[in-house]
Amino acid sequence: MRDFAAELEQRKQAGLYRSRRLVSGPQQPELTVGGRPLLSFCSNDYLGLANHPGNIDALRQALPDAGLGGAASHLICGHHDAHHRLEERLAAFTQRSSALFFSTGYMANMGVISALAGRGDTIFSDRLNHASIIDGCILSRATVKRYRHGDVSALEAMLAKTTGHKLVVTDGVFSMDGDVAPLRELATVCRAYDALLVVDDAHGIGVLGPEGRGSVVAQGLSEDDVPLVIGTLGKAVGTSGAFVAGPPVLTDYLVQKARTYIYTTAMPPALAAATCASLDLIERSNDRRAHLDRMIDRFRAGARQLGYQLMDSVTPIQPIMVGDNWAALALSEALEAQGLLVTAIRPPTVPEGEARLRVTLSAAHTLEDVDRLLAGLGSCRSFITAMDSPYPEQMA
Ligand SMILES: *Cc1c(COP(=O)(O)O)cnc(C)c1O
């Protein structure tokens, strides 16, 4: 048998061992971790809706009517009118003609990609796409070509050399870098080479664009430009689940073919009702998004002044580039000692040599919270040994 214990030991030696922190109480910036209060800058609850009383109330009110369990898959007897109303709500919210509700974003990507491309087809995938996209590509059995991050010319050259059915898939906002995909340019080349464009907007929905309608609407694009958008509901929306939105011919096709939609139990219908309430709230949350933008500006200015290397991001994802795995862990631990929780992100989540601290901001943070983080980072400046080098030297 394979020596699993030795592999675990190797991971520890390489600074790649991962462990789970035990959180109690609701998700919010003031997080109780292992019984101790920490100010957290690492959740994806960008609008502070994970613990919003209005959404919790909507869930509570839906329970007596809808019951708790999903009980069956959508195609057997699990497709509840609460799910159906959410799909209509999601289509309207994203300005698309139809939507399909999935249990998680991971399952949506696996199901959508493997249903829409297969053996003999070609999928083009941005190098920094999320793990669930990578796995969806593998599951599809199509030929997979990865293009340089955000490089539309490289993609175009690859498309020009390929015949047959082509699918292009990209994150809307890249989850570990925070930058936004060049969707308009991608839409243009996809149209020119008859490729189906799929955008995973897990980190754009709720945050970017007018009323938080996501990165596709933010870039002035419609369903004609970007046929399919995938979104998750456990991040800015603050509940759970995911969706894909686009023309009925594609969502109908997915009902027939997406195995992660067909062969799984429907989500609790009351949760769908709570998600509708959250979407109402998101449309009325321009103040939350404006507050978020103010904090992003404040954080970027402050961290830069301290000599930290940031990435080219205007979103609430504001990674601090470190490089070395141990250095990233040490910086994270030093912050934690000051009551600040910012997790280190290491390979294989990010490329080798690009370990970082993934700072995320939420509308539930205050400007004072951001200042506390900056003060913490200020006192950890020694972790950056050469201020003019992009990466700190390796920790002893
Ligand atoms: C989080 C994430 C997913 C997975 O969504 P879940 O609903 O958490 O399973 C998919 N794609 C991207 C880009 C993500 O960041």
Side-chain angles (χ1 to χ4, degrees):
M1 201 175 72
R2 213 161 116 184
D3 193 346
F4 295 107
E7 284 182 36
L8 284 175
E9 194 47 45
Q10 268 171 16
R11 285 185 86 90
K12 284 181 186 160
Q13 298 296 330
L16 291 173
Y17 187 76
R18 297 161 186 234
S19 46
R20 301 169 299 170
R21 295 165 198 278
L22 204 55
V23 170
S24 37
Q27 284 290 342
Q28 54 192 21
E30 285 290 347
L31 204 58
T32 306
V33 184
R36 173 166 170 246
L38 289 176
L39 181 58
S40 161
F41 290 92
C42 40
S43 101
N44 300 314
D45 178 27
Y46 303 120
L47 296 177
L49 301 183
N51 188 35
H52 191 281
N55 297 344
I56 294 171
D57 224 38
L59 178 73
R60 213 181 259 130
Q61 279 178 26
L63 279 168
D65 261 359
L68 178 55
S73 66
H74 285 272
L75 293 177
I76 303 297
C77 66
H79 192 58
H80 196 277
D81 56 18
H83 297 132
H84 206 73
R85 273 198 300 274
L86 173 59
E87 291 181 342
E88 287 169 355
R89 189 71 188 80
L90 285 165
F93 180 77
T94 55
Q95 300 179 339
R96 299 187 153 251
S97 34
S98 70
L100 196 60
F101 178 42
F102 278 77
S103 297
T104 70
Y106 210 114
M107 291 170 70
N109 276 324
M110 297 273 281
V112 169
I113 295 167
S114 64
L116 299 179
R119 238 186 265 282
D121 301 334
T122 311
I123 302 174
F124 301 85
S125 172
D126 187 291
R127 271 201 177 280
L128 295 189
N129 276 344
H130 190 260
S132 56
I133 295 180
I134 297 170
D135 290 356
C137 291
I138 295 170
L139 187 64
S140 75
R141 299 182 180 86
T143 301
V144 181
K145 299 201 166 150
R146 296 169 76 202
Y147 59 91
R148 230 174 56 130
H149 175 53
D151 189 340
V152 184
S153 311
L155 169 65
E156 182 168 13
M158 293 162 99
L159 283 168
K161 282 191 283 191
T162 310
T163 53
H165 175 56
K166 300 180 271 277
L167 185 148
V168 173
V169 59
T170 181
D171 281 11
V173 174
F174 288 87
S175 52
M176 295 300 138
D177 292 50
D179 59 328
V180 176
L183 297 178
R184 181 167 288 278
E185 292 78 6
L186 286 170
T188 304
V189 299
C190 285
R191 189 189 300 275
Y193 293 92
D194 191 30
L196 173 60
L197 178 57
V198 179
V199 173
D200 173 359
D201 206 21
H203 301 277
I205 293 292
V207 177
L208 298 181
E211 291 87 43
R213 296 186 199 282
S215 36
V216 174
V217 178
Q219 296 188 36
L221 302 170
S222 71
E223 197 168 283
D224 288 337
D225 309 303
V226 178
L228 283 180
V229 171
I230 291 166
T232 59
L233 303 170
K235 290 172 180 163
V237 182
T239 60
S240 187
F243 67 91
V244 54
V249 61
L250 290 180
T251 49
D252 184 25
Y253 189 84
L254 290 169
V255 170
Q256 317 304 316
K257 294 273 195 149
R259 293 167 64 84
T260 58
Y261 182 79
I262 300 167
Y263 298 106
T264 195
T265 302
M267 289 283 268
L271 200 64
T275 302
C276 284
S278 188
L279 292 171
D280 291 346
L281 199 62
I282 287 174
E283 285 179 339
R284 291 185 267 110
S285 288
N286 284 339
D287 51 339
R288 284 171 195 265
R289 283 179 287 272
H291 174 54
L292 206 41
D293 284 341
R294 267 197 304 278
M295 289 189 294
I296 292 167
D297 288 347
R298 188 162 178 130
F299 172 76
R300 286 184 70 81
R304 274 221 189 93
Q305 203 165 27
L306 292 169
Y308 284 97
Q309 193 200 350
L310 301 180
M311 305 198 68
D312 190 14
S313 164
V314 296
T315 68
I317 303 170
Q318 291 293 334
I320 297 173
M321 196 45 121
V322 177
D324 176 71
N325 298 337
W326 291 109
L329 282 175
L331 181 55
S332 172
E333 278 164 21
L335 289 171
E336 189 166 334
Q338 301 184 50
L340 298 161
L341 182 63
V342 189
T343 35
I345 306 284
R346 293 161 286 164
T349 309
V350 291
E352 219 44 72
E354 293 188 20
R356 65 196 69 175
L357 258 61
R358 181 176 181 268
V359 172
T360 53
L361 297 167
S362 162
H365 284 122
T366 62
L367 289 169
E368 291 69 38
D369 290 339
V370 175
D371 290 342
R372 248 187 85 189
L373 174 61
L374 289 169
L377 285 167
S379 68
C380 295
R381 266 165 65 160
S382 56
F383 288 87
I384 297 189
T385 44
M387 296 294 277
D388 47 0
S389 141
Y391 305 136
E393 276 161 31
Q394 191 159 332
M395 301 288 301

